[in-house]
């Protein structure tokens, strides 16, 4: 316990302390554990049986587990953009899944979750997958100062996988530099032309230990061909099987270094994204192949964070949030047996669709909150979205948001802390098409894309006509009731149009 907390307890004890309400500012540590592509049905506290996730289950047991909480989008970059800025990503061009050499897509100087909490007196760090671009227009100078990036957005420090595990460059970036880069072996990255004489997955499949099922046939790094080309920087290349260990260690070190002051840790794992390469100690643990094994690895990472909080007696006054950036996908481009070994495991649980999909499986994700000092354990059906973190955590910490900050971020703090059973009254979900939720009603706008993606074997949720579903009785979105509810469908289409036209929704 901090001295100030101790004093507060002693003082308040004498005047009859009652648990505080959401209205009073507080400064718990905040740890956001953010998985990649983890589906609603991928963890045991949401119903999975063939994979066990004891640490995540513990978090759910000791905290509040949400059944209707969402990432802002059905893919990574727009979800993370919305989460950090409080703005729906579909409002801004260039926020789709980014290549590994993209420029930073969040303007330095704008209010972000990190800058807001920094203003509130927090020490802030991001560790893990970034995928929001780095550097100025034209992309970063990989061999020099890599900026702007997280440090220009309010984070005191960062340790990053710049884009995704399946995109070049396959190196860590710490603050403004690539870790372990040998200046005599500079790194080059290209998303246009390949480098001559560098093997690729396409030309040299004999060099591969993991083969692509679609895409992913460019530069080979450690036996796995990726998206994008790179050469040089050999000493700095990450080892896929060590990524979870390396970033978890970094995250734990950050907690330990900052245990005596309020801190905000955004810990964004590479698990369970492709390429799925579990550390050997997790390989074969589930019988579900690498996809199952990296769920166990993710659970381990979460457990290490919880252990660090316990070890330093920080658990009671730390708000831990665990969630995912989008729904699940089975074959996301590598032949890793995910499909063959899936058996009866349902990555999206009872939901239809998954990653890339406008059905609920696209954005509705595992989501739990633990804060022993303030949050009573339980289950909540409140509708909420990660885009709301900015306004809600600003309210928690007593920060005022300017009118233009976080244009779509709603203060749902009472729901987040379990003091209210209701969250948002509406939510826009983003996939190839947008969808609007109003309570249990869901309208999916007419889509321009295909219904079905054969490569990933996913339903996109797109239909040439608008769809209307009632999510009360069944979550499966199989009964389109738009014909019987023409007025409602039209009203929701009109509201969606209005939400689009208006630059803010809060
Ligand atoms: C897709 C990739 C997929 C994954 C995704 C981004 C191909 C064929 N597929 O384009 O493997 O990387 O982008 O995933 O290249 S996300 O979780 O970061 O949004
Ligand atoms: Ca993702």
């Amino acid at each position: 316990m901090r001295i100030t907390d101790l004093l507060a307890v002693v003082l308040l004890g004498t005047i009859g302390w009652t648990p505080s309400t959401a209205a009073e500012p507080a400064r718990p540590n905040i740890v956001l554990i953010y998985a990649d592509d983890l589906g609603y049905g991928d963890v045991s506290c949401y119903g999975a049986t063939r994979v066990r996730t004891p640490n995540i289950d513990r978090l759910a047991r000791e905290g509040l587990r949400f059944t209707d909480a969402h990432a802002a989008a059905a893919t990574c970059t727009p979800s993370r953009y919305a989460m950090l800025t409080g703005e729906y990503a579909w409002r801004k061009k260039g926020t789709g899944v980014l290549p590994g050499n993209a420029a930073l897509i969040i303007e330095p100087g704008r209010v972000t979750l990190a800058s807001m909490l920094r203003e509130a007196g927090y020490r802030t760090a991001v560790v893990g997958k970034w995928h929001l671009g780095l550097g100025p227009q034209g992309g970063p100078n990989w061999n020099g100062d890599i900026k702007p990036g997280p440090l220009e957005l309010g984070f005191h420090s960062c340790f990053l996988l710049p884009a995704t595990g399946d995109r070049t460059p396959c190196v860590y970036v710490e603050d403004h530099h690539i870790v372990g880069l040998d200046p005599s072996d500079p790194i080059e990255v290209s998303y246009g032309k390949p480098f001559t004489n560098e093997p690729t997955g396409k030309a040299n499949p004999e060099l591969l230990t993991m083969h692509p099922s679609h895409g992913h046939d460019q530069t080979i790094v450690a036996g796995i061909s990726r998206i994008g080309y790179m050469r040089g920087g050999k000493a700095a290349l990450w080892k896929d099987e060590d990524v979870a260990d390396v970033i978890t260690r970094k995250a734990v070190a950050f907690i330990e270094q900052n245990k005596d002051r309020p801190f905000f840790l955004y810990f964004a794992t590479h698990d369970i994204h492709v390429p799925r390469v579990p550390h050997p100690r997790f390989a074969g643990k589930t019988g579900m192949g690498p996809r199952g094994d990296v769920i166990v690895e993710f659970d381990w990472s979460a457990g290490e964070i919880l252990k660090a909080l316990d070890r330093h007696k920080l658990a009671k006054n730390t708000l831990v949030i665990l969630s995912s950036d989008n729904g699940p996908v089975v074959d996301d481009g590598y032949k890793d047996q995910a499909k063959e070994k899936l058996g009866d495991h349902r990555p999206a649980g009872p939901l239809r669709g998954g990653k890339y999909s406008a059905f609920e499986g696209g954005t509705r994700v595992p989501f739990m909150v633990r804060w022993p000092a303030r949050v009573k354990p339980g289950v909540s059906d409140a509708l909420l979205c990660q885009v709301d973190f900015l306004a809600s955590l600003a309210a928690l910490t007593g920060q005022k948001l300017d009118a233009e900050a976080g244009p779509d971020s709603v203060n749902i703090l009472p729901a987040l802390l379990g003091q209210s059973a209701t969250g948002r009254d509406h939510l826009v979900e983003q996939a190839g098409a947008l969808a609007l939720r109003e309570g249990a009603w869901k309208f999916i706008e007419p889509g321009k894309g295909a219904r079905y993606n054969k490569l990933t074997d996913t339903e996109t949720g797109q239909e040439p006509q608008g769809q209307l579903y009632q999510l009360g009785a069944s979550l499966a979105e199989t009964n389109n009731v738009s014909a019987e509810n023409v007025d409602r469908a039209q009203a929701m289409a009109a509201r969606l149009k209005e939400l689009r036209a208006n630059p803010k929704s809060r």
Side-chain angles (χ1 to χ4, degrees), residues 429-450:
E429 302 175 9
Q430 174 184 2
L434 297 188
L436 176 64
R437 284 280 309 276
E438 281 176 341
W441 289 98
K442 174 160 173 184
F443 174 77
I444 307 178
E445 69 177 357
K448 297 189 188 83

Short mmCIF file of all heavy atoms in Angstrom, two decimals, residues 429-450:
data_model
loop_
_atom_site.label_atom_id
_atom_site.label_comp_id
_atom_site.label_asym_id
_atom_site.label_seq_id
_atom_site.Cartn_x
_atom_site.Cartn_y
_atom_site.Cartn_z
N GLU A 429 -20.81 -0.84 -34.95
CA GLU A 429 -19.79 -1.88 -35.09
C GLU A 429 -19.21 -1.80 -36.51
O GLU A 429 -19.96 -1.65 -37.47
CB GLU A 429 -20.40 -3.27 -34.89
CG GLU A 429 -21.09 -3.45 -33.54
CD GLU A 429 -21.80 -4.80 -33.40
OE1 GLU A 429 -21.63 -5.69 -34.25
OE2 GLU A 429 -22.54 -4.96 -32.42
N GLN A 430 -17.90 -1.92 -36.61
CA GLN A 430 -17.26 -1.74 -37.91
C GLN A 430 -16.66 -3.04 -38.45
O GLN A 430 -15.81 -3.65 -37.82
CB GLN A 430 -16.14 -0.68 -37.81
CG GLN A 430 -15.32 -0.55 -39.09
CD GLN A 430 -14.16 0.43 -38.97
OE1 GLN A 430 -13.92 0.99 -37.90
NE2 GLN A 430 -13.43 0.60 -40.05
N ALA A 431 -17.09 -3.43 -39.64
CA ALA A 431 -16.41 -4.50 -40.39
C ALA A 431 -16.38 -3.99 -41.83
O ALA A 431 -16.26 -2.78 -42.04
CB ALA A 431 -17.17 -5.80 -40.24
N GLY A 432 -16.48 -4.87 -42.82
CA GLY A 432 -16.56 -4.39 -44.20
C GLY A 432 -17.77 -3.48 -44.37
O GLY A 432 -17.73 -2.48 -45.08
N ALA A 433 -18.85 -3.81 -43.68
CA ALA A 433 -20.03 -2.94 -43.61
C ALA A 433 -20.17 -2.49 -42.16
O ALA A 433 -19.65 -3.13 -41.26
CB ALA A 433 -21.27 -3.72 -44.04
N LEU A 434 -20.88 -1.38 -41.95
CA LEU A 434 -21.13 -0.95 -40.58
C LEU A 434 -22.43 -1.58 -40.10
O LEU A 434 -23.32 -1.89 -40.88
CB LEU A 434 -21.27 0.57 -40.50
CG LEU A 434 -20.06 1.42 -40.86
CD1 LEU A 434 -20.34 2.89 -40.54
CD2 LEU A 434 -18.80 0.95 -40.15
N ALA A 435 -22.52 -1.75 -38.79
CA ALA A 435 -23.74 -2.26 -38.18
C ALA A 435 -24.09 -1.36 -37.02
O ALA A 435 -23.20 -0.76 -36.40
CB ALA A 435 -23.55 -3.69 -37.72
N LEU A 436 -25.35 -1.25 -36.73
CA LEU A 436 -25.80 -0.43 -35.61
C LEU A 436 -26.52 -1.30 -34.60
O LEU A 436 -27.42 -2.06 -34.95
CB LEU A 436 -26.74 0.67 -36.11
CG LEU A 436 -27.37 1.57 -35.02
CD1 LEU A 436 -26.31 2.38 -34.29
CD2 LEU A 436 -28.43 2.50 -35.63
N ARG A 437 -26.10 -1.19 -33.36
CA ARG A 437 -26.82 -1.85 -32.27
C ARG A 437 -27.65 -0.81 -31.52
O ARG A 437 -27.17 0.27 -31.21
CB ARG A 437 -25.80 -2.47 -31.29
CG ARG A 437 -25.13 -3.74 -31.76
CD ARG A 437 -26.02 -4.97 -31.57
NE ARG A 437 -26.55 -5.06 -30.22
CZ ARG A 437 -25.89 -5.59 -29.18
NH1 ARG A 437 -24.69 -6.11 -29.35
NH2 ARG A 437 -26.44 -5.62 -27.98
N GLU A 438 -28.89 -1.17 -31.25
CA GLU A 438 -29.72 -0.40 -30.32
C GLU A 438 -30.34 -1.42 -29.39
O GLU A 438 -31.23 -2.16 -29.81
CB GLU A 438 -30.81 0.37 -31.07
CG GLU A 438 -30.31 1.64 -31.74
CD GLU A 438 -31.37 2.35 -32.57
OE1 GLU A 438 -32.39 1.72 -32.93
OE2 GLU A 438 -31.17 3.54 -32.87
N GLY A 439 -29.83 -1.52 -28.19
CA GLY A 439 -30.28 -2.59 -27.30
C GLY A 439 -30.03 -3.93 -27.98
O GLY A 439 -28.95 -4.18 -28.52
N ALA A 440 -31.06 -4.78 -27.99
CA ALA A 440 -30.89 -6.10 -28.58
C ALA A 440 -31.09 -6.09 -30.10
O ALA A 440 -30.91 -7.10 -30.76
CB ALA A 440 -31.86 -7.08 -27.93
N TRP A 441 -31.46 -4.94 -30.64
CA TRP A 441 -31.64 -4.87 -32.09
C TRP A 441 -30.32 -4.62 -32.79
O TRP A 441 -29.47 -3.88 -32.30
CB TRP A 441 -32.59 -3.72 -32.45
CG TRP A 441 -34.02 -3.98 -32.08
CD1 TRP A 441 -34.66 -3.54 -30.96
CD2 TRP A 441 -34.96 -4.76 -32.82
NE1 TRP A 441 -35.95 -3.99 -30.96
CE2 TRP A 441 -36.18 -4.74 -32.08
CE3 TRP A 441 -34.91 -5.47 -34.02
CZ2 TRP A 441 -37.32 -5.40 -32.50
CZ3 TRP A 441 -36.05 -6.14 -34.44
CH2 TRP A 441 -37.24 -6.11 -33.69
N LYS A 442 -30.18 -5.24 -33.94
CA LYS A 442 -28.98 -5.01 -34.72
C LYS A 442 -29.31 -4.87 -36.19
O LYS A 442 -29.97 -5.73 -36.77
CB LYS A 442 -28.00 -6.16 -34.53
CG LYS A 442 -26.78 -6.04 -35.45
CD LYS A 442 -25.64 -6.84 -34.97
CE LYS A 442 -24.51 -6.85 -35.98
NZ LYS A 442 -23.43 -7.71 -35.56
N PHE A 443 -28.83 -3.78 -36.75
CA PHE A 443 -29.04 -3.54 -38.18
C PHE A 443 -27.68 -3.57 -38.87
O PHE A 443 -26.74 -2.88 -38.45
CB PHE A 443 -29.71 -2.18 -38.39
CG PHE A 443 -29.81 -1.79 -39.84
CD1 PHE A 443 -30.77 -2.35 -40.66
CD2 PHE A 443 -28.92 -0.88 -40.39
CE1 PHE A 443 -30.85 -2.01 -42.01
CE2 PHE A 443 -28.99 -0.52 -41.73
CZ PHE A 443 -29.97 -1.09 -42.55
N ILE A 444 -27.55 -4.36 -39.92
CA ILE A 444 -26.31 -4.37 -40.71
C ILE A 444 -26.63 -3.71 -42.05
O ILE A 444 -27.57 -4.12 -42.74
CB ILE A 444 -25.79 -5.81 -40.96
CG1 ILE A 444 -25.64 -6.56 -39.63
CG2 ILE A 444 -24.46 -5.77 -41.70
CD1 ILE A 444 -25.18 -8.02 -39.78
N GLU A 445 -25.87 -2.69 -42.38
CA GLU A 445 -26.15 -1.96 -43.61
C GLU A 445 -25.86 -2.84 -44.83
O GLU A 445 -25.10 -3.80 -44.73
CB GLU A 445 -25.31 -0.68 -43.67
CG GLU A 445 -23.83 -0.94 -43.87
CD GLU A 445 -23.00 0.34 -44.01
OE1 GLU A 445 -23.55 1.45 -44.02
OE2 GLU A 445 -21.77 0.20 -44.11
N PRO A 446 -26.45 -2.50 -45.97
CA PRO A 446 -26.15 -3.27 -47.18
C PRO A 446 -24.65 -3.25 -47.45
O PRO A 446 -24.00 -2.20 -47.30
CB PRO A 446 -26.90 -2.51 -48.28
CG PRO A 446 -27.95 -1.72 -47.58
CD PRO A 446 -27.39 -1.41 -46.22
N GLY A 447 -24.09 -4.39 -47.82
CA GLY A 447 -22.65 -4.45 -48.03
C GLY A 447 -22.31 -4.52 -49.51
O GLY A 447 -23.15 -4.85 -50.34
N LYS A 448 -21.07 -4.16 -49.81
CA LYS A 448 -20.63 -4.21 -51.21
C LYS A 448 -19.76 -5.44 -51.46
O LYS A 448 -19.44 -5.77 -52.59
CB LYS A 448 -19.84 -2.95 -51.56
CG LYS A 448 -20.69 -1.68 -51.45
CD LYS A 448 -19.93 -0.47 -52.02
CE LYS A 448 -20.67 0.83 -51.75
NZ LYS A 448 -20.42 1.38 -50.39
N GLY A 449 -19.36 -6.10 -50.38
CA GLY A 449 -18.43 -7.22 -50.54
C GLY A 449 -19.13 -8.56 -50.67
O GLY A 449 -20.35 -8.64 -50.65
N ALA A 450 -18.32 -9.59 -50.79
CA ALA A 450 -18.86 -10.95 -50.91
C ALA A 450 -19.39 -11.41 -49.56
O ALA A 450 -18.95 -10.94 -48.51
CB ALA A 450 -17.76 -11.89 -51.38
#
